[in-house]
Amino acid sequence: MLHLRIICPPDRTAAVEELLTGDDAVTHVVVLPGTARDPHGDLVLCDVVREGTSDLIAALRELGVERDGSIMLEKVDTTLSAAATRAEKRVPGLGVDAVVWEEVEQTTAAESELSWAFLTFMMVATVIAGIGVLLDQPILIVGAMVVGPEFGPLAAFCVGVVRGRWDMVRRALGSLAAGFAAGMTVTVATTWLLDALDLVDRSMLLGDRPLTSFIWQPDALSWVVGFLAGIAGMLSLTSAKAGTLVGVLISVTTVPAAANAAVALAYGVTNEATGSALQLLINIAAIVTAGVLTLLVQRTAGRLRARPGRS
């Protein structure tokens, strides 16, 4: 269940109340006239099953509630209510499969912003991966994958394409470009510094690295893994199953590939830098392709199982 808190202009309260009480997906409707002060209006509360949330919000926006009042959406972790159980049974489908598009847009839009935190995480993750490459230590590669925040802008890009939010697409591309550029630049500088301190050397990159050499040697499986990870990552966002997202993050070598390219550039090993860059592009393309296709399938499935309507 999701909880809606609506500040409704007084002249539209009756229409909103009728909309809510006539919707099979809505329950626990409460109307508190004249209680809202900023913006001024009536406070309307209700709970709605996930499967019916996007349709309901669309109807509220058609009434201008978003423009002249407000619509706030909150997750409800636990609901003990016979009325809520009846509402869930009335609406076809499963809540875990339902996509609340407004929620997804809000979440990914925030992830597309270029912030100091995002840049810092990218730089830290890439440096960790760079050290992991030189030491041939998979545990450091896995750690860098978890720390790396690049999946956020990638998801925002996919949502922006499917929803026609081109401003979000531009922000996501800008964040990705700046993040990878910053991470690789700092990794090159860090490699030179560590080399000057005699903590690493070129032979470590050129030596046998059986555990991490896959990072700069892309093959067909690189695309397959990236594509599957893109599907899982998008599903983890749209179905609110964030617990699966860590598994997605450690399955794709985006940050490690960027780090390997940076280390190779620092030592002038062009063939390895090229291979790493290709690995990076393959994985990004696979994730984006899978993410867009997943969202399109979810949108089509949602339309096909559209409810008969509000009574």
Side-chain angles (χ1 to χ4, degrees):
M1 297 290 292
L2 296 170
H3 181 68
L4 279 179
R5 187 165 77 244
I6 305 164
I7 296 180
C8 181
D11 62 328
R12 270 156 281 182
T13 301
V16 169
E17 183 177 353
E18 181 180 0
L19 175 68
L20 298 180
T21 55
D23 194 319
D24 288 341
V26 178
T27 188
H28 307 148
V29 179
V30 178
V31 180
L32 302 173
T35 54
R37 296 293 180 266
D38 185 19
H40 176 74
D42 303 326
L43 179 62
V44 182
L45 309 173
C46 70
D47 294 323
V48 56
V49 297
R50 285 185 63 90
E51 301 93 306
T53 302
S54 283
D55 287 344
L56 178 60
I57 292 178
L60 290 170
R61 296 175 81 170
E62 288 178 4
L63 292 173
V65 174
E66 176 194 27
R67 182 184 65 249
D68 302 321
S70 73
I71 305 171
M72 296 190 66
L73 185 66
E74 300 173 343
K75 294 179 180 179
V76 178
D77 294 326
T78 304
T79 304
L80 303 177
S81 166
T85 301
R86 289 193 297 269
E88 290 175 345
K89 290 180 178 179
R90 287 195 299 261
V91 182
L94 297 174
V96 71
D97 294 329
V99 180
V100 182
W101 291 103
E102 292 76 14
E103 179 185 46
V104 173
E105 280 193 26
Q106 287 284 326
T107 301
T108 54
E111 296 290 345
S112 69
E113 298 290 346
L114 180 61
S115 64
W116 285 110
F118 173 80
L119 289 175
T120 301
F121 275 121
M122 283 294 293
M123 290 185 288
V124 169
T126 311
V127 170
I128 291 174
I131 295 173
V133 163
L134 291 171
L135 297 179
D136 195 34
Q137 285 294 328
I139 189 64
L140 294 179
I141 301 300
V142 171
M145 291 175 178
V146 174
V147 173
E150 76 282 3
F151 187 77
L154 286 172
F157 178 89
C158 297
V159 173
V161 169
V162 173
R163 298 288 285 176
R165 290 282 306 277
W166 304 115
D167 58 327
M168 188 186 300
V169 170
R170 288 190 294 271
R171 287 199 304 270
L173 287 175
S175 295
L176 284 170
F180 279 114
M184 293 177 69
T185 299
V186 171
T187 301
V188 169
T190 301
T191 301
W192 287 338
L193 175 62
L194 294 176
D195 187 86
L197 296 174
D198 204 25
L199 296 176
V200 299
D201 57 64
R202 193 170 186 269
S203 64
M204 297 172 70
L205 180 69
L206 298 176
D208 187 26
R209 293 183 287 131
L211 301 180
T212 57
S213 60
F214 70 93
I215 294 173
W216 65 278
Q217 296 174 333
D219 54 23
L221 287 178
S222 299
W223 173 270
V224 173
V225 171
F227 188 85
L228 294 176
I231 294 174
M234 197 55 62
L235 287 175
S236 73
L237 291 177
T238 57
S239 66
K241 281 190 171 294
T244 62
L245 192 54
V246 172
V248 175
L249 296 177
I250 64 174
S251 63
V252 186
T253 56
T254 45
V255 164
N260 203 112
V263 173
L265 287 173
Y267 283 125
V269 184
T270 55
N271 66 318
E272 193 160 329
T274 302
S276 301
L278 181 60
Q279 177 77 274
L280 176 62
L281 292 176
I282 288 174
N283 278 287
I284 289 177
I287 291 172
V288 168
T289 301
V292 170
L293 289 177
T294 300
L295 290 172
L296 290 174
V297 169
Q298 288 180 304
R299 186 173 67 178
T300 302
R303 289 174 176 173
L304 290 176
R305 65 167 179 263
R307 298 183 279 118
R310 299 174 177 84
S311 56

